[in-house]
Amino acid sequence: MKKFSDLYLKKLHIGSITTETNVFTAPMAGYTCYPFRMMCRKLGAGLAFTEMVSANGLKYNDRATAKLLYTDKAEFPKAVQLLGSVPSAFEFACKGDYTADYDIIDINMGCPVPNVIKSGEGCALTGDLSLASKIIESCKRSGKVVTVKFRPGMNKKNIVVSEFARMCENSGADMITVHGRTRNMMYSGEPVYEYIESAKRAVNIPVIANGGIRSEEDALKMMDRTGADGVMIARFGLENPFIFSQLTGTHTDETKLSLIMWQADIAEAVFDETEALEYIKKLSSYFMKGLHGTKKFKQEMYESGSMRELRKILALIFKETEKSDV
Ligand SMILES: Cc1cc2nc3c(=O)[nH]c(=O)nc-3n(C[C@H](O)[C@H](O)[C@H](O)COP(=O)(O)O)c2cc1C
């Protein structure tokens, strides 16, 4: 059986920053908070991105937005993702206090959500290369390492992947991530490897491949078919974060039970109880996906009103599943 860690694992140089591995955790709104990023990093992810944060929100000192950016020195390197369409707002956000701790600014040019597209943000920027270029240049003026995550285009009739990749490099981007689905495909369907391969052929900066990786086999196929420099995993990392230790050959004695309890510890330390409850319930329901015998606990888990209560039910859920997994 071929192994990712034998064939493709490497350190990656992104501008002035070197990551320990080339297996990354994707930005995910509502999930990739500090505890989750720390878990993925512990399991071998070389980099884990914050969820998208509005560049405008930071400009107007929005506290809720700023809260999404909690980090500390245990996380290195740190990567924050910004969303927006106004170059000056990006420049302000990159130079401001809220992002001061972050080493890498990632620009979201792939979000397919209707409201975002209507505002000319996210994937809409694949239709305006000149504005996209100005945004990258504005971020670069902060002196930070800048990366861009984008889709190949809005739909299969408007594929701009090669020219967009070149524009990113020419505007100063230090790495690009290509999600191999068009905006119309949203989050389903097989990623189109050829789009990612075209981006890789177009530029000399590192290219990360994203979309549809649910197993080591998928990751190998992605690397074989695209020639990318690394992979980025989103949804499957929520379900089974051990994909990071598997791909990177990182030894771990953790179990889902020990991980969820550790996540609860960090969440309680950095969030208030309501936020901690919300996050741990969301993550647990992903952890429970595909595990037998957990359905009967779900309602009780959602109804837990305190972290103490929640921990008790989680101990039952994940002890049961570990037994039934053997
Ligand atoms: C719940 C959720 C939230 C997401 N939030 C973001 C985000 O904030 N920024 C971003 O660039 N992509 C976001 N994405 C897209 C993922 O980063 C990724 O590109 C996509 O899910 C494809 O990867 P996958 O097939 O491994 O899930 C999100 C995806 C999901 C499922």
Side-chain angles (χ1 to χ4, degrees), residues 241-255:
F242 295 109
I243 185 81
F244 295 107
S245 49
Q246 190 183 359
L247 295 184
T248 58
T250 304
H251 172 79
T252 179
D253 292 321
E254 300 284 356
T255 59

Side-chain angles (χ1 to χ4, degrees), residues 25-32 49-53 81-83 106-113 149-151 177-181 186-189 191 209-214 232-238 286:
T25 306
M28 278 181 286
Y31 291 95
T32 51
F49 293 78
T50 70
E51 66 178 84
M52 58 186 180
V53 172
Q81 190 189 62
L82 298 179
L83 175 81
D106 186 60
I107 309 171
N108 182 322
M109 298 196 181
C111 184
V113 173
K149 179 167 178 278
F150 65 94
R151 293 183 184 236
T177 301
V178 185
H179 176 186
R181 297 183 177 103
M186 300 298 281
Y187 292 103
S188 54
N210 166 242
I213 299 175
R214 296 185 54 84
M232 178 185 274
I233 298 166
R235 285 165 293 182
F236 194 60
L238 290 171
Y286 261 104

Side-chain angles (χ1 to χ4, degrees), residues 131-183:
L131 178 58
S133 170
K134 287 193 185 95
I135 290 173
I136 299 169
E137 287 168 0
S138 298
C139 292
K140 281 297 283 188
R141 281 197 279 277
S142 65
K144 291 185 194 268
V145 169
V146 173
T147 61
V148 181
K149 179 167 178 278
F150 65 94
R151 293 183 184 236
M154 290 291 281
N155 52 57
K156 66 178 181 202
K157 289 198 181 129
N158 288 291
I159 299 301
V160 293
V161 67
S162 304
E163 54 267 46
F164 203 83
R166 266 193 297 273
M167 175 281 296
C168 289
E169 182 170 47
N170 293 337
S171 309
D174 298 291
M175 180 189 88
I176 54 174
T177 301
V178 185
H179 176 186
R181 297 183 177 103
T182 61
R183 188 260 169 161

Side-chain angles (χ1 to χ4, degrees), residues 33 59 73 90 107 116 118 126 129 149 170 177 183 187 189-191 205 208 244-245 252-253 269 297 305 322:
C33 52
K59 190 164 176 192
K73 61 179 186 306
F90 274 94
I107 309 171
V116 167
K118 246 185 260 157
T126 60
L129 271 70
K149 179 167 178 278
N170 293 337
T177 301
R183 188 260 169 161
Y187 292 103
E190 279 291 297
I205 51 175
I208 301 297
F244 295 107
S245 49
T252 179
D253 292 321
F297 297 113
E322 267 151 36

